[in-house]
Amino acid sequence: MPVGKIIKALSGFYYVLNEEQENHVVQCRGRGVFRKNKITPLVGDRVSFQAENDAEGYILEVFERKNELVRPPIANVDQAILVFSAIEPDFNPGLLDRFLVLVEANDIEPLICITKMDLLIETQTQKIQEYAKDYQKIGYDVLLTSSETEAGLEQLRPFLEKKTSVFAGQSGVGKSSLLNALNPELQLKTSNISTHLGRGKHTTRHVELIEIGSGLVADTPGFSSLEFMDIEVEGLKECFPEMQRISQECKFRACLHMNEPKCAVKNAVENGDIPSYRYENYKQFHEEIKDRKPRY
């Protein structure tokens, strides 16, 4: 049976890119057994299928996933390109840290991409560069880009090669503009920031994998909120790499870096080795998870 990857799911149809035939997409339906077994094929799934003709067929099997995101609904992601604008809307480290925690919790490699650098004055540029250095010190790759001037795009391209990537971020930060700059043939719909709400209008309606070079990229719908539904307080500290590295020096092995004595993480914050805003975000997320209502 031929094997391929689901690159789009729409109105009960799954569009499968055939691994054996370059650029050949087959429109498939799922078998009834999937509904019976409560299996929902996702964009990014590797599947086997039976082609009734050159253009139509049925998905027979969904292969095991290495990871899976609920929102956006996508599977087998290699990396997340976290797109944040330097301005309009202003760079938001709290929201970036929220995305980073969710990406780390799903064992997905993150890449931070800060857009709209061309709109900044010198003092604003210096501030963004300071943030970039903070995240690079943690170990994250950070790219400063502009869709208008194409700055940083050549550094971004190699990250996309032979990988399935998710472009994720707040609405209005320029995800679609960035993808259009990478591949002008896409002509993805973009929109301006709503001055009334201060956020972008939702221009991306469904998840679809788009070919850019030898990689596949998902332009995902913008998010207004991200909740830590599957992360426990004990696991949160593992989603902050700089804290995880230093936590072995804490007096208590199970230290949560909150009120415990002789906490190496709190000492590192006081000494300036860990940015105070990262620690404040950690504490906020900790309280949020602790106060979360149990699910039944």
Side-chain angles (χ1 to χ4, degrees), residues 68-296:
E68 172 187 340
L69 296 177
V70 175
R71 198 174 55 171
I74 189 169
N76 301 318
V77 176
D78 295 312
Q79 68 180 352
I81 316 292
L82 303 181
V83 185
F84 278 72
S85 55
I87 196 169
E88 296 180 12
D90 290 342
F91 180 71
N92 185 338
L95 191 58
L96 173 56
D97 286 346
R98 190 174 284 270
F99 270 90
L100 284 168
V101 166
L102 289 161
V103 167
E104 293 277 4
N106 283 282
D107 294 321
I108 297 171
E109 190 71 26
L111 168 67
I112 300 168
C113 183
I114 302 177
T115 60
K116 305 187 186 180
M117 290 298 294
D118 59 296
L119 299 180
L120 301 182
I121 60 173
E122 188 176 345
T123 53
Q124 293 171 319
T125 301
Q126 289 172 351
K127 184 64 177 172
I128 294 297
Q129 288 172 338
E130 287 169 13
Y131 276 124
K133 285 177 185 172
D134 285 344
Y135 285 99
Q136 285 166 336
K137 185 180 174 185
I138 293 166
Y140 294 121
D141 288 307
V142 183
L143 297 180
L144 306 180
T145 69
S146 165
S147 300
E148 289 295 317
T149 66
E150 299 192 356
L153 294 193
E154 289 312 307
Q155 288 97 316
L156 175 57
R157 290 183 195 279
F159 283 97
L160 305 178
E161 295 302 310
K162 297 181 180 177
K163 290 181 180 175
T164 298
S165 307
V166 169
F167 269 56
Q170 212 178 348
S171 294
V173 295
K175 297 189 298 294
S176 296
S177 296
L178 197 60
L179 286 167
N180 284 337
L182 287 165
N183 184 354
E185 292 178 12
L186 294 176
Q187 297 183 334
L188 296 171
K189 188 179 176 186
T190 62
S191 74
N192 297 323
I193 300 293
S194 162
T195 52
H196 176 64
L197 295 173
R199 61 174 185 254
K201 299 165 189 169
H202 292 260
T203 51
T204 313
R205 296 297 176 188
H206 64 274
V207 180
E208 180 175 354
L209 289 173
I210 303 159
E211 289 186 81
I212 293 183
S214 66
L216 292 169
V217 168
D219 180 24
T220 59
F223 300 122
S224 56
S225 66
L226 292 153
E227 298 173 355
F228 304 123
M229 295 309 297
D230 298 311
I231 301 172
E232 302 302 328
V233 287
E234 296 80 11
L236 177 64
K237 59 185 179 181
E238 295 174 13
C239 298
F240 283 75
E242 73 276 40
M243 296 184 191
Q244 189 180 15
R245 283 193 291 269
I246 206 169
S247 62
Q248 59 194 17
E249 298 173 26
C250 293
K251 181 179 180 181
F252 300 104
R253 183 178 291 181
C255 184
L256 294 175
H257 320 311
M258 295 294 285
N259 302 311
E260 300 89 340
K262 296 185 180 178
C263 170
V265 167
K266 286 193 288 184
N267 286 342
V269 175
E270 289 173 15
N271 297 335
D273 294 327
I274 292 177
S276 59
Y277 63 86
R278 280 279 287 176
Y279 180 62
E280 289 303 316
N281 290 335
Y282 169 80
K283 288 199 296 183
Q284 181 186 328
F285 301 160
H286 182 278
E287 291 304 309
E288 192 176 312
I289 293 169
K290 198 174 71 170
D291 295 342
R292 181 177 62 201
K293 288 185 174 67
R295 287 184 294 176
Y296 297 100

